[in-house]
Amino acid sequence: MFRTALRNVLAHKARLLMTVLAVMLGVAFVSGTLVFTDTLSQAFRNQSAKSYDDVAVAVSLRPDPEEALKNPGLSQETVDRVAKLDGVTAVSPRVDGFAGVPDKNGKLIGVGWSNKGTNFAPGADGKDPAFAFTTGTGPTEAGQVALDRTTADKGGYKVGDRVRVATNGPVKEYALSGVFTTEDGAVNAGGSLVLFDAPVAQQLYLKPGYYSDLNVTAAPGTDDDALRDAVLKVVPKAATAQTGADLADEQARQIESGLGAINQMLLGFAGIALFVGIFLISNTFTMLVAQRTKELALMRAVGASRRQITRSVLAEAGIVGLVASAIGYVLGIGLAVALRSGMDAFDMKVPGGDLVLGTTPAIAAFGVGVVITMLAAWLPGRRAAKIPPVAAMNSVHATPDAKSLMVRNAIGAAITALGAVLIVLGANAGGDDGRLIIAGGAFVILIGAIVLIPFLSRPVIALIRPFFVKAFGISGKLAGLNAVRNPRRTGATASALAIGLTLVTGLSVLGVSAGQALDKMTVDQIRADYMVVMASGQGLSPEALTALEKAPGVRAVSPQQAGALKVKDSFASASGVTPGAIDRLIKVEVVDGSLDSLGEGRIAVADKTAASRGLKVGATVPVEYLDKKKGTLTVGAVYKDSEFLSPVMIDRKILDAHDPQPYIPQIFVATDGGASAGAEQALVKAMGDNPAITVLDQKDIRDTFGGQINLILNIVYGLLAMALIIAVLGVVNTLAMSVFERQQEIGMIRAIGLDRRRVKRMVRLEAVVISVFGAVVGIGLGTFLAWALGKTFESSLPGYGLVMPWERIGIFLALAALVGVLASLWPARSAAKLNILAAIKAE
């Protein structure tokens, strides 16, 4: 039986090639993802070990805002105490934060969030062990900085040049004292690193005389664990201490965790490819079994058991799976290399290192490939074994049993109905619980739709067919009839597209609906012409606020300063704003009182917070600030909850009095005459042409809030591309089998006058009908799921309503039709080339 299976594989190489391609794509993504993440993990692990090679103990103190008011970091006295411990040869104190450097065109070098500044910490020999200088020296004066080599090269800077450096305050100019190389993670992530003299860095990032980290170097033979315990005795209790080895391991784990998102996304691609590929594989083996019906009957007649027939089909699947897995594994290695090169191309630096080819990717590749292929082939093999020998000998092509189709339809309808009920229940429940119920219902309804799809093919294609008949005449009519001739095959072929388009349509409808709600909310509530933010995502300095207030043409400025107050024994987040300006910049719907009271030192409270805490206009409220000082404030206004404001509004000057380091994530600005190129340039100039500060107009603000949605949709469209590729292979297989089965019929219609051009058109239209059918099913299911998920977001996203992106749905249908056209090229050409007499004589 194994020899028979091998012979059958070799006899149907072209047909099985489609299956190999489908499995190969999924395996390539599985193995490539695992090789890629293993390689990156090992590279970053080696880099972490190297960067902490000379560090025996690392000390860190990053207190919470309340504690920071008393003890902001590690004092110089603490550094001196650590340096005097036995076994310590050097202590490198550090303080760091954001620092960006522009290129010659004024554009920020690096990727914002990984642009970093820290201090130069020379030892007794005048060198800092963390940095190797290629030219010049480290900064030793307030007016000097040093740059990493990559940043210096990109900016065209040389020792002695003047360099503009942006922090969260005004841009300042420094003299470049040196250029260095480093294993610092910020630089290796594609960012930049600026070294300041220690007092300058302390002034910028913490407080004069204080550091946030200490790196301790020990003498050879010193026990790192014992030294760590000794260090903990002389540093503040709130400080943490780790050995260099432990810190390197922790950083490596954090990097691996960060790579998890990439890993999950790529494995998602692989899962879609393999799941969709199951239908292609099953369809392929169903066709092969149909072609070999007489052969299998003869084998049964001469003594082969049902089990042996099933094993024969599974053996064929196993051989195909092994071949596909081997090719997919090799392609996966190539994919891993390409992904690594791609990260370099986008300035996401990856540490050097060899490609890691572990056993896990290989086992996963062959395990997944073979198991998926054999699982998909099991049902066709089981059907083949159940064909009675006499019945099979009487007909080359056994027709589906009507009773089995009825049973299938009943089961499919029941499963689909159960899934629909779960989805509706989840929509009504709302919230996270509702979304979990919908996720379960989505899985159930997809399974039900796959089972029921042969039944759906007749009514759906009956709706589509008149358009083809009207446009293409007899070719269109024959294509429609052929498409429903074998509902099971048509359904299995259309399932690939249906699954892909369910996902894509659902997220497209949901994304567009949420995007429009966010857009409307932004337009309705933000009256400001501009929003000013840091490119790094960190907070702006009060100096930036002062500069904007003095800018020419500005009529209103207010920060959205983040703060907190303990109101009636529990903390509430508070927005520090400028009285008299905030309501001209953000729409605030006052329920009671007046926002003018903010200028009198009163507070405004959101209506839901006021109701939950029993607050009314005129009420006196005891409060506690972040510095633990207590006072009383009067409620001057109650306003409707806003997505852009905290539950409490207060004059920012009151918050500043209790917070020496205010956090300002955004500043809103309104200008005379509205937004214009001149007004924007005036704001940029007022802040010293700071490349690290971004000025966003109304369109940029809307794009900022909707950017994540667009990113997710782009990833989903990548999944659609994967589904389309596999769908093409499935339609090719189906049409090739259809042409093979209908040789006599094609010969007859050719003999009575249908020319080759119309035969090609008939086959092409059949492919288009099947593809559009799958697309219609997928779009319908996707829209239903989007509606249900949208119901769970309505309460948390004001203004949300279902929006149908008809232009995108039209594109999806057009792509489905294109899939059909591309997939039909080879089968249509084969059908048109059939010899009329030979086809009529074909058995």
Side-chain angles (χ1 to χ4, degrees):
M1 295 304 292
F2 179 77
R3 287 198 301 270
T4 302
L6 184 60
R7 176 180 61 80
N8 287 326
V9 169
L10 297 175
H12 300 94
K13 294 186 289 292
R15 191 69 46 74
L16 289 170
L17 178 63
M18 307 297 175
T19 297
V20 169
L21 289 172
V23 178
M24 180 185 73
L25 285 171
V27 169
F29 270 99
V30 171
S31 58
T33 297
L34 295 175
V35 170
F36 174 67
T37 50
D38 284 352
T39 299
L40 256 63
S41 176
Q42 186 62 44
F44 281 116
R45 186 176 289 277
N46 291 340
Q47 181 196 63
S48 297
K50 187 176 180 181
S51 62
Y52 291 104
D53 190 41
D54 295 327
V55 178
V57 177
V59 183
S60 179
L61 177 58
R62 301 183 186 276
D64 58 44
E66 294 182 30
E67 181 64 27
L69 295 173
K70 300 176 182 177
N71 189 16
L74 301 162
S75 66
Q76 186 61 49
E77 291 78 6
T78 301
V79 176
D80 295 339
R81 285 198 297 269
V82 173
K84 292 177 182 178
L85 293 173
D86 292 338
V88 175
T89 57
V91 178
S92 300
R94 304 285 180 202
V95 57
D96 54 48
F98 171 79
V101 177
D103 58 20
K104 297 298 184 182
N105 298 319
K107 185 179 178 182
L108 188 68
I109 298 173
V111 291
W113 56 268
S114 60
N115 292 334
K116 178 181 169 185
T118 189
N119 62 289
F120 179 61
D125 58 357
K127 296 180 179 179
D128 190 324
F131 311 105
F133 281 83
T134 56
T135 55
T137 61
T140 55
E141 300 175 6
Q144 294 180 334
V145 293
L147 295 177
D148 67 275
R149 186 168 63 186
T150 302
T151 302
D153 290 344
K154 287 181 178 179
Y157 295 114
K158 296 180 181 178
V159 173
D161 288 350
R162 302 294 294 177
V163 180
R164 298 174 70 243
V165 180
T167 56
N168 64 343
V171 178
K172 295 182 181 178
E173 261 196 9
Y174 299 85
L176 184 62
S177 66
V179 176
F180 58 88
T181 59
T182 179
E183 293 296 329
D184 188 275
V187 176
N188 286 305
S192 61
L193 182 59
V194 181
L195 292 185
F196 299 95
D197 185 38
V200 174
Q202 290 173 332
Q203 181 68 42
L204 285 171
Y205 301 128
L206 196 58
K207 188 178 179 180
Y210 286 90
Y211 300 93
S212 54
D213 301 281
L214 304 178
N215 288 337
V216 181
T217 305
T222 303
D223 182 83
D224 289 351
D225 291 330
L227 181 59
R228 177 198 60 207
D229 295 339
V231 167
L232 283 171
K233 294 178 181 178
V234 298
V235 298
K237 291 182 179 180
T240 60
Q242 293 176 281
T243 65
D246 290 341
L247 195 59
D249 289 340
E250 181 182 327
Q251 192 175 88
R253 285 193 296 271
Q254 290 174 350
I255 291 168
E256 288 178 12
S257 176
L259 291 173
I262 299 175
N263 195 29
Q264 290 172 9
M265 182 185 73
L266 293 175
L267 287 176
F269 276 86
I272 291 290
L274 290 169
F275 186 62
V276 174
I278 286 176
F279 301 100
L280 172 57
I281 298 164
S282 180
N283 222 10
T284 300
F285 279 94
T286 298
M287 296 175 191
L288 294 178
V289 167
Q291 283 183 302
R292 292 161 44 208
T293 307
K294 274 196 171 183
E295 175 191 328
L296 294 173
L298 286 171
M299 291 174 66
R300 289 291 313 282
V302 298
S305 65
R306 288 185 175 183
R307 184 174 296 179
Q308 286 178 310
I309 297 295
T310 303
R311 285 177 181 172
S312 174
V313 175
L314 290 178
E316 292 179 44
I319 295 169
V320 171
L322 280 172
V323 172
S325 299
I327 300 172
Y329 178 65
V330 174
L331 284 177
I333 295 173
L335 177 63
V337 173
L339 286 170
R340 186 170 177 174
S341 301
M343 292 185 73
D344 288 335
F346 285 98
D347 283 338
M348 298 173 66
K349 290 190 174 182
V350 179
D354 297 329
L355 200 67
V356 177
L357 300 177
T359 56
T360 301
I363 293 172
F366 284 92
V368 167
V370 174
V371 169
I372 289 292
T373 310
M374 294 183 71
L375 180 66
W378 175 77
L379 192 57
R382 186 169 174 271
R383 286 191 193 132
K386 292 174 70 174
I387 298 174
V390 175
M393 289 180 188
N394 289 335
S395 175
V396 176
H397 312 297
T399 57
D401 184 358
K403 182 179 178 181
S404 67
L405 280 175
M406 289 177 63
V407 172
R408 174 175 177 153
N409 293 340
I411 294 173
I415 296 174
T416 304
L418 175 61
V421 169
L422 288 173
I423 291 170
V424 172
L425 288 174
N428 291 328
D432 291 337
D433 292 339
R435 286 189 278 276
L436 283 174
I437 297 172
I438 291 172
F443 177 76
V444 173
I445 202 171
L446 268 178
I447 298 299
I450 290 166
V451 176
L452 194 60
I453 205 166
F455 171 75
L456 295 175
S457 63
R458 292 186 183 277
V460 174
I461 292 176
L463 291 174
I464 301 171
R465 191 166 59 209
F467 298 101
F468 289 91
V469 174
K470 187 174 182 180
F472 303 103
I474 189 64
S475 295
K477 182 177 182 179
L478 290 172
L481 292 172
N482 291 332
V484 294
R485 178 174 292 187
N486 191 325
R488 277 180 174 164
R489 187 184 304 153
T490 298
T493 305
S495 294
L497 265 177
I499 292 167
L501 279 170
T502 296
L503 173 66
V504 171
T505 303
L507 289 179
S508 291
V509 173
L510 193 63
V512 169
S513 300
Q516 287 205 13
L518 285 171
D519 191 67
K520 184 177 183 299
M521 183 173 65
T522 304
V523 171
D524 288 348
Q525 296 193 35
I526 295 184
R527 294 171 172 172
D529 297 315
Y530 298 101
M531 183 173 76
V532 180
V533 296
M534 288 289 291
S536 63
Q538 296 176 334
L540 292 150
S541 73
E543 293 170 314
L545 177 62
T546 303
L548 288 169
E549 288 173 337
K550 295 178 180 179
V554 171
R555 61 183 176 87
V557 178
S558 176
Q560 215 282 50
Q561 182 173 322
L565 293 170
K566 182 180 272 189
V567 181
K568 284 195 171 182
D569 300 326
S570 61
F571 272 97
S573 60
S575 291
V577 300
T578 300
I582 188 63
D583 55 336
R584 296 157 67 186
L585 300 166
I586 296 177
K587 182 180 179 180
V588 183
E589 296 185 42
V590 178
V591 177
D592 192 14
S594 171
L595 288 181
D596 293 338
S597 62
L598 291 172
E600 302 168 2
R602 300 189 177 193
I603 60 173
V605 184
D607 55 355
K608 292 181 180 177
T609 303
S612 64
R613 304 195 182 199
L615 301 177
K616 295 181 180 180
V617 171
T620 301
V621 185
V623 298
E624 183 179 312
Y625 300 97
L626 288 177
D627 60 356
K628 298 295 186 180
K629 291 183 179 180
K630 298 180 179 180
T632 57
L633 292 170
T634 303
V635 178
V638 175
Y639 61 93
K640 284 189 177 181
D641 272 271
S642 169
E643 296 293 323
F644 299 97
L645 292 169
S646 299
V648 175
M649 266 198 294
I650 187 171
D651 186 341
R652 65 178 181 83
K653 292 179 182 178
I654 298 176
L655 287 181
D656 289 348
H658 300 277
D659 187 356
Q661 293 181 317
Y663 176 64
I664 306 175
Q666 305 108 12
I667 299 174
F668 293 98
V669 183
T671 56
D672 295 331
S676 66
E680 183 174 337
Q681 187 58 39
L683 297 181
V684 172
K685 188 175 181 180
M687 292 181 293
D689 291 317
N690 192 328
I693 296 180
T694 304
V695 179
L696 306 174
D697 59 19
Q698 280 275 349
K699 181 180 181 303
D700 295 329
I701 295 171
R702 296 199 302 269
D703 291 343
T704 298
F705 287 107
Q708 291 296 321
I709 293 175
N710 292 329
L711 176 62
I712 293 170
L713 288 180
N714 288 334
I715 293 173
V716 172
Y717 293 149
L719 293 176
L720 172 62
M722 176 68 66
L724 288 177
I725 291 171
I726 298 176
V728 167
L729 301 178
V731 177
V732 169
N733 252 6
T734 296
L735 292 179
M737 182 61 186
S738 181
V739 169
F740 170 80
E741 289 182 349
R742 296 179 356 235
Q743 288 185 60
Q744 279 189 332
E745 177 188 317
I746 293 171
M748 288 297 295
I749 60 177
R750 284 287 315 281
I752 62 175
L754 197 68
D755 57 21
R756 290 186 175 182
R757 181 173 58 85
R758 290 184 179 179
V759 170
K760 285 184 179 179
R761 183 184 295 169
M762 175 187 72
V763 177
R764 289 195 191 108
L765 291 176
E766 182 180 344
V768 171
V769 168
I770 293 173
S771 299
V772 171
F773 162 58
V776 169
V777 173
I779 289 170
L781 285 174
T783 303
F784 179 51
L785 288 173
W787 165 82
L789 284 170
K791 295 288 286 183
T792 67
F793 289 110
E794 283 182 344
S795 59
S796 58
L797 188 58
Y800 178 88
L802 188 69
V803 177
M804 292 298 295
W806 295 112
E807 69 288 347
R808 299 193 189 192
I809 290 175
I811 292 172
F812 298 158
L813 287 171
L815 285 174
L818 180 62
V819 164
V821 172
L822 293 176
S824 66
L825 292 178
W826 172 57
R829 187 169 177 272
S830 300
K833 289 178 65 178
L834 283 176
N835 182 282
I836 296 175
L837 295 177
I840 292 173
K841 289 170 60 180
E843 188 176 336

